[in-house]
């Protein structure tokens, strides 16, 4: 089974790549490295070699918007008698804040890039895709936990591009219900790192998200954590989110591939989260207990565009994919911390 993994060098993609390779999949990574390091690929190889695992991994440095490149990837795969059976599509831009400042970049990379990819897949008769969508598409939560049939109402450009791609996938499936096999996974908050500390999250510049910021405070790269509001309508006043261990998320992709393989055709939109909500204060407390680090923090005003609470109903993923998240919040803190300690400057 040969998988084209776009964005395979990024935070999520690298963990999926490693898991697929460990499970005998032949993986072709396409990444422009605009938000990741080529050291990721070296690390994956070192890890697999250290475990004496035989693997088939190829990497192409390129852009999903480059149609000629995509054509050549599919043509070469066919000519070399190792056609791409399935695509896991993660490549794209993911910063909510940046998407508000540079909206056209997000429509270009995320939407036109995905359109390009789907056009090429259709041309070369590859009809199976797992797409990385986001909980951002739900916007303001009207009911918790959030089910897949919750209203879709994104409040930022990034989320709107994810909805546009989901709509594209929907229309494509409806155009020939016997042909396409499609899963759109709506991720909540993927955090932590691989337990080996060989791969993990390495944001460029100052992290926007809670977890990488927290580990950088713990290692001394940032002075203190700013908590964006302690007056939310939550138990302790800080924001509540659904944090899922990155390896649980990766396993959700493996389960999705197995599900697609068992089907003649399908279209499913599926939440991937832990199913639990934790507040910022709870995260800090658990991190301090698990690692022994003290996290200095200050309370700031609410961040624009934030919401009080968001956590997933994951019963659909459990039912359809036979998948359950296995790692605790403690494991998330430990693995995230070990990654940061062993790689204080990330991959550089
Ligand atoms: P990431 O930035 O670490 O990974 C994305 C990868 O795509 C990077 O390696 C980047 O270099 C590559 N890329 C970007 N534009 C490209 C292009 N035009 N052509 C080829 N490669 C390109 O991000 P991530 O956290 O691993 O996220 C992966 C996917 O999951 C994204 O689509 C993101 O929107 C989605 N997602 C992420 C989160 C999250 O919290 N991390 C949550 C929900 C959804
Ligand atoms: N948060 C915070 N300080 C930070 C980053 C985030 O207090 O430096 C809060 C944020 O307000 C939210 C939670 O932590 O309540 C998770 O934020 P993150 O950006 O990680 O995820 P998202 O809000 O995109 O789900």
């Amino acid at each position: 089974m040969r998988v084209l993994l776009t964005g395979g060098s990024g935070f999520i993609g690298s963990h999926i790549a490693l898991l697929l390779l460990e499970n005998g999949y032949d993986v072709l990574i396409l990444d422009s490295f605009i938000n990741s390091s080529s050291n990721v690929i070296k690390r994956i190889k070192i890890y697999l070699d250290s475990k004496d695992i035989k693997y088939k991994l190829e990497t192409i440095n390129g852009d999903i918007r480059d149609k000629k490149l995509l054509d050549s990837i599919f043509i070469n795969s066919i000519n070399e008698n190792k056609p791409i059976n399935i695509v896991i599509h993660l490549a794209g831009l993911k910063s909510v804040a940046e998407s508000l400042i540079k909206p056209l970049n997000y429509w270009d990379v995320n939407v036109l890039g995905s359109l390009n990819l789907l056009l090429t897949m259709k041309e070369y008769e590859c009809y199976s895709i797992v797409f990385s969508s986001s909980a951002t598409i739900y916007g303001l939560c009207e009911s918790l936990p959030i089910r897949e049939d919750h209203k879709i109402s994104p409040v930022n450009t990034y989320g709107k591009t994810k909805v546009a791609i989901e709509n594209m996938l929907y229309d494509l499936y409806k155009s020939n219900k016997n042909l396409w096999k499609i899963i759109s996974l709506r991720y909540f908050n993927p955090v932590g790192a691989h337990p080996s500390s060989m791969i993990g999250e390495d944001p460029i510049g100052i992290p926007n998200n809670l977890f990488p910021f927290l580990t950088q405070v713990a290692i001394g790269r940032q002075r203190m954590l700013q908590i964006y509001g302690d007056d939310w309508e939550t138990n302790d006043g800080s924001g509540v989110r659904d944090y899922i261990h990155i390896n649980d998320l990766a396993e959700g992709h493996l389960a999705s591939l197995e599900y697609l393989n068992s089907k003649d055709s399908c279209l499913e939109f599926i939440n991937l989260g832990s199913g639990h909500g934790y507040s910022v204060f709870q995260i800090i407390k658990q991190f301090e207990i698990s690692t022994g680090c003290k996290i200095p923090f200050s309370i700031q005003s609410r961040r624009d565009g934030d919401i009080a609470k968001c956590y997933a109903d994951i019963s659909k993923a459990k039912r359809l994919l036979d998948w359950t998240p296995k790692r605790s919040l403690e494991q998330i803190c430990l693995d995230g911390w070990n990654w940061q300690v062993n790689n204080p400057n990330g991959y550089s």
Side-chain angles (χ1 to χ4, degrees), residues 10-12 31-32 34-36 63-64 90 94 133 158 162:
F11 170 45
I12 298 172
D31 201 300
S32 65
I34 193 167
N35 199 38
S36 55
D63 198 301
I64 50 165
L90 293 101
K94 65 162 182 177
S133 187
Y158 166 67
K162 291 290 182 190

Side-chain angles (χ1 to χ4, degrees), residues 96 136 188-189 191 207-214 225-229 232 238-243 278-280 302-303 305-308 310:
V96 168
T136 315
F188 280 66
N189 293 54
V191 287
N208 293 314
N209 300 110
L210 176 67
F211 208 82
F213 202 101
L214 183 76
L225 178 71
Q226 273 96 45
I227 297 181
Y228 298 135
W232 293 99
S238 65
V240 168
R241 295 289 184 278
D242 182 331
Y243 300 94
Y278 291 104
S279 73
V280 177
R302 294 179 179 189
R303 185 172 63 174
D306 260 1
I307 52 171
C310 174

Side-chain angles (χ1 to χ4, degrees), residues 134-148 150-151 153-156 186-190 210 232-235 238-244 271-280 282-283 303 305-314:
S134 166
T136 315
I137 66 170
Y138 295 119
L140 297 175
C141 306
E142 290 181 349
S143 55
L144 285 167
I146 301 183
R147 286 166 29 145
E148 287 82 356
H150 185 282
K151 192 170 87 186
S153 181
V155 292
N156 54 63
R186 296 172 177 168
Y187 310 154
F188 280 66
N189 293 54
L210 176 67
W232 293 99
E233 285 173 3
T234 60
N235 284 346
S238 65
V240 168
R241 295 289 184 278
D242 182 331
Y243 300 94
I244 174 171
N271 288 340
L272 281 190
S274 69
H276 300 287
Y278 291 104
S279 73
V280 177
Q282 283 176 310
I283 296 289
R303 185 172 63 174
D306 260 1
I307 52 171
K309 287 187 204 175
C310 174
Y311 52 92
D313 179 324
I314 54 169

Side-chain angles (χ1 to χ4, degrees), residues 118-138:
L118 290 168
L119 281 170
T120 317
M121 287 175 66
K122 187 166 183 288
E123 242 168 283
Y124 298 99
E125 300 179 353
C126 173
Y127 299 117
S128 297
I129 183 166
V130 177
F131 169 63
S132 26
S133 187
S134 166
T136 315
I137 66 170
Y138 295 119

Side-chain angles (χ1 to χ4, degrees), residues 1 12 25 69 101 139 209 218 249 251 260-261 276 288 313:
M1 176 69 60
I12 298 172
Y25 285 83
L69 174 68
I101 300 163
N209 300 110
L249 191 88
E251 285 171 6
L260 291 186
N261 281 335
H276 300 287
E288 289 184 337
D313 179 324

Side-chain angles (χ1 to χ4, degrees), residues 98-112:
E98 189 188 50
S99 78
L100 296 171
I101 300 163
K102 298 176 178 170
L104 294 183
N105 278 14
Y106 277 69
W107 284 96
D108 182 27
V109 174
N110 293 359
V111 179
L112 293 186

